PDB file of all heavy atoms in Angstrom:
ATOM      1  N   MET A  51       2.774  21.501 -14.051  1.00  0.00           N
ATOM      2  CA  MET A  51       3.709  22.609 -14.188  1.00  0.00           C
ATOM      3  C   MET A  51       3.087  24.008 -14.160  1.00  0.00           C
ATOM      4  O   MET A  51       3.479  24.827 -13.367  1.00  0.00           O
ATOM      5  CB  MET A  51       4.516  22.455 -15.494  1.00  0.00           C
ATOM      6  CG  MET A  51       5.319  21.175 -15.571  1.00  0.00           C
ATOM      7  SD  MET A  51       6.649  21.118 -14.380  1.00  0.00           S
ATOM      8  CE  MET A  51       7.727  22.354 -15.045  1.00  0.00           C
ATOM      9  N   PRO A  61       2.809  43.487 -10.387  1.00  0.00           N
ATOM     10  CA  PRO A  61       4.138  43.517  -9.757  1.00  0.00           C
ATOM     11  C   PRO A  61       4.023  43.276  -8.255  1.00  0.00           C
ATOM     12  O   PRO A  61       3.077  43.736  -7.606  1.00  0.00           O
ATOM     13  CB  PRO A  61       4.654  44.932 -10.056  1.00  0.00           C
ATOM     14  CG  PRO A  61       3.845  45.391 -11.227  1.00  0.00           C
ATOM     15  CD  PRO A  61       2.501  44.752 -11.059  1.00  0.00           C
ATOM     16  N   VAL A  62       4.965  42.544  -7.698  1.00  0.00           N
ATOM     17  CA  VAL A  62       5.008  42.311  -6.254  1.00  0.00           C
ATOM     18  C   VAL A  62       6.199  43.058  -5.685  1.00  0.00           C
ATOM     19  O   VAL A  62       7.210  43.251  -6.348  1.00  0.00           O
ATOM     20  CB  VAL A  62       5.107  40.810  -5.919  1.00  0.00           C
ATOM     21  CG1 VAL A  62       3.853  40.099  -6.359  1.00  0.00           C
ATOM     22  CG2 VAL A  62       6.334  40.177  -6.572  1.00  0.00           C
ATOM     23  N   LEU A  85       2.775  41.430 -20.657  1.00  0.00           N
ATOM     24  CA  LEU A  85       2.222  40.196 -21.216  1.00  0.00           C
ATOM     25  C   LEU A  85       1.086  39.689 -20.347  1.00  0.00           C
ATOM     26  O   LEU A  85       1.113  39.801 -19.124  1.00  0.00           O
ATOM     27  CB  LEU A  85       3.302  39.118 -21.316  1.00  0.00           C
ATOM     28  CG  LEU A  85       4.432  39.332 -22.326  1.00  0.00           C
ATOM     29  CD1 LEU A  85       5.411  38.172 -22.269  1.00  0.00           C
ATOM     30  CD2 LEU A  85       3.879  39.474 -23.740  1.00  0.00           C
ATOM     31  N   THR A 115      -1.035   9.140   6.979  1.00  0.00           N
ATOM     32  CA  THR A 115      -1.726   8.704   8.184  1.00  0.00           C
ATOM     33  C   THR A 115      -2.948   7.882   7.798  1.00  0.00           C
ATOM     34  O   THR A 115      -3.460   7.969   6.675  1.00  0.00           O
ATOM     35  CB  THR A 115      -2.176   9.903   9.040  1.00  0.00           C
ATOM     36  OG1 THR A 115      -3.042  10.735   8.268  1.00  0.00           O
ATOM     37  CG2 THR A 115      -0.978  10.724   9.506  1.00  0.00           C
ATOM     38  N   LYS A 142      19.556  10.832  -8.291  1.00  0.00           N
ATOM     39  CA  LYS A 142      20.128  10.512  -6.986  1.00  0.00           C
ATOM     40  C   LYS A 142      19.156  10.995  -5.926  1.00  0.00           C
ATOM     41  O   LYS A 142      18.706  12.149  -5.963  1.00  0.00           O
ATOM     42  CB  LYS A 142      21.491  11.184  -6.799  1.00  0.00           C
ATOM     43  CG  LYS A 142      22.178  10.812  -5.490  1.00  0.00           C
ATOM     44  CD  LYS A 142      23.573  11.421  -5.413  1.00  0.00           C
ATOM     45  CE  LYS A 142      24.276  11.011  -4.123  1.00  0.00           C
ATOM     46  NZ  LYS A 142      25.656  11.576  -4.043  1.00  0.00           N
ATOM     47  N   PHE A 160      18.133   5.542 -16.369  1.00  0.00           N
ATOM     48  CA  PHE A 160      17.218   5.055 -17.391  1.00  0.00           C
ATOM     49  C   PHE A 160      17.731   5.511 -18.743  1.00  0.00           C
ATOM     50  O   PHE A 160      18.003   6.694 -18.955  1.00  0.00           O
ATOM     51  CB  PHE A 160      15.803   5.581 -17.180  1.00  0.00           C
ATOM     52  CG  PHE A 160      14.844   5.149 -18.236  1.00  0.00           C
ATOM     53  CD1 PHE A 160      14.259   3.892 -18.176  1.00  0.00           C
ATOM     54  CD2 PHE A 160      14.551   5.962 -19.312  1.00  0.00           C
ATOM     55  CE1 PHE A 160      13.381   3.471 -19.172  1.00  0.00           C
ATOM     56  CE2 PHE A 160      13.680   5.553 -20.308  1.00  0.00           C
ATOM     57  CZ  PHE A 160      13.096   4.300 -20.237  1.00  0.00           C
ATOM     58  N   GLY A 164      18.271   0.231 -20.607  1.00  0.00           N
ATOM     59  CA  GLY A 164      17.348  -0.306 -19.619  1.00  0.00           C
ATOM     60  C   GLY A 164      17.225   0.621 -18.424  1.00  0.00           C
ATOM     61  O   GLY A 164      17.760   1.736 -18.410  1.00  0.00           O
ATOM     62  N   SER A 190       6.934   8.029 -19.009  1.00  0.00           N
ATOM     63  CA  SER A 190       7.849   9.163 -18.979  1.00  0.00           C
ATOM     64  C   SER A 190       7.801   9.947 -20.273  1.00  0.00           C
ATOM     65  O   SER A 190       8.030  11.159 -20.280  1.00  0.00           O
ATOM     66  CB  SER A 190       9.281   8.669 -18.719  1.00  0.00           C
ATOM     67  OG  SER A 190       9.692   7.762 -19.730  1.00  0.00           O
ATOM     68  N   GLU A 199       2.071  19.453 -20.239  1.00  0.00           N
ATOM     69  CA  GLU A 199       1.366  19.731 -18.993  1.00  0.00           C
ATOM     70  C   GLU A 199       0.683  21.091 -19.038  1.00  0.00           C
ATOM     71  O   GLU A 199      -0.380  21.286 -18.464  1.00  0.00           O
ATOM     72  CB  GLU A 199       2.341  19.666 -17.812  1.00  0.00           C
ATOM     73  CG  GLU A 199       3.018  18.316 -17.632  1.00  0.00           C
ATOM     74  CD  GLU A 199       2.019  17.175 -17.584  1.00  0.00           C
ATOM     75  OE1 GLU A 199       0.943  17.349 -16.951  1.00  0.00           O
ATOM     76  OE2 GLU A 199       2.293  16.119 -18.164  1.00  0.00           O
ATOM     77  N   LEU A 203      -3.499  21.948 -18.392  1.00  0.00           N
ATOM     78  CA  LEU A 203      -3.997  22.847 -17.352  1.00  0.00           C
ATOM     79  C   LEU A 203      -4.760  24.048 -17.894  1.00  0.00           C
ATOM     80  O   LEU A 203      -5.218  24.891 -17.131  1.00  0.00           O
ATOM     81  CB  LEU A 203      -2.821  23.324 -16.492  1.00  0.00           C
ATOM     82  CG  LEU A 203      -2.290  22.275 -15.511  1.00  0.00           C
ATOM     83  CD1 LEU A 203      -1.019  22.747 -14.859  1.00  0.00           C
ATOM     84  CD2 LEU A 203      -3.331  21.941 -14.445  1.00  0.00           C
ATOM     85  N   GLU A 236      -8.488  11.809 -14.247  1.00  0.00           N
ATOM     86  CA  GLU A 236      -8.416  11.576 -15.691  1.00  0.00           C
ATOM     87  C   GLU A 236      -6.977  11.523 -16.178  1.00  0.00           C
ATOM     88  O   GLU A 236      -6.611  10.695 -17.014  1.00  0.00           O
ATOM     89  CB  GLU A 236      -9.186  12.684 -16.420  1.00  0.00           C
ATOM     90  CG  GLU A 236     -10.691  12.611 -16.214  1.00  0.00           C
ATOM     91  CD  GLU A 236     -11.404  13.835 -16.759  1.00  0.00           C
ATOM     92  OE1 GLU A 236     -10.720  14.692 -17.363  1.00  0.00           O
ATOM     93  OE2 GLU A 236     -12.632  13.938 -16.582  1.00  0.00           O
ATOM     94  N   LEU A 242      -0.566   6.644 -15.494  1.00  0.00           N
ATOM     95  CA  LEU A 242      -0.098   5.636 -14.565  1.00  0.00           C
ATOM     96  C   LEU A 242      -0.132   4.244 -15.198  1.00  0.00           C
ATOM     97  O   LEU A 242      -0.874   3.994 -16.140  1.00  0.00           O
ATOM     98  CB  LEU A 242      -0.976   5.628 -13.309  1.00  0.00           C
ATOM     99  CG  LEU A 242      -0.837   6.842 -12.388  1.00  0.00           C
ATOM    100  CD1 LEU A 242      -1.831   6.726 -11.255  1.00  0.00           C
ATOM    101  CD2 LEU A 242       0.582   6.967 -11.839  1.00  0.00           C
ATOM    102  N   GLY A 292      -4.626   9.077   4.487  1.00  0.00           N
ATOM    103  CA  GLY A 292      -4.473  10.496   4.214  1.00  0.00           C
ATOM    104  C   GLY A 292      -3.022  10.817   3.869  1.00  0.00           C
ATOM    105  O   GLY A 292      -2.098  10.279   4.478  1.00  0.00           O
ATOM    106  N   TYR A 301      14.473  24.235 -11.068  1.00  0.00           N
ATOM    107  CA  TYR A 301      14.836  23.762 -12.407  1.00  0.00           C
ATOM    108  C   TYR A 301      15.986  24.585 -12.952  1.00  0.00           C
ATOM    109  O   TYR A 301      16.029  25.801 -12.776  1.00  0.00           O
ATOM    110  CB  TYR A 301      13.626  23.854 -13.334  1.00  0.00           C
ATOM    111  CG  TYR A 301      12.466  23.016 -12.870  1.00  0.00           C
ATOM    112  CD1 TYR A 301      11.574  23.507 -11.902  1.00  0.00           C
ATOM    113  CD2 TYR A 301      12.259  21.741 -13.360  1.00  0.00           C
ATOM    114  CE1 TYR A 301      10.519  22.739 -11.456  1.00  0.00           C
ATOM    115  CE2 TYR A 301      11.204  20.974 -12.920  1.00  0.00           C
ATOM    116  CZ  TYR A 301      10.342  21.468 -11.967  1.00  0.00           C
ATOM    117  OH  TYR A 301       9.301  20.708 -11.508  1.00  0.00           O
ATOM    118  N   ILE A 310      22.999  10.947 -21.383  1.00  0.00           N
ATOM    119  CA  ILE A 310      23.097  10.211 -20.124  1.00  0.00           C
ATOM    120  C   ILE A 310      23.400   8.755 -20.463  1.00  0.00           C
ATOM    121  O   ILE A 310      22.630   8.106 -21.177  1.00  0.00           O
ATOM    122  CB  ILE A 310      21.800  10.321 -19.311  1.00  0.00           C
ATOM    123  CG1 ILE A 310      21.606  11.773 -18.852  1.00  0.00           C
ATOM    124  CG2 ILE A 310      21.829   9.373 -18.113  1.00  0.00           C
ATOM    125  CD1 ILE A 310      20.311  12.038 -18.153  1.00  0.00           C
TER     126      ILE A 310
END
Side-chain angles (χ1 to χ4, degrees):
M51 301 293 291
V62 295
L85 292 179
T115 59
K142 184 175 182 179
F160 178 82
S190 59
E199 300 308 320
L203 285 171
E236 291 171 4
L242 290 176
Y301 299 83
I310 293 175

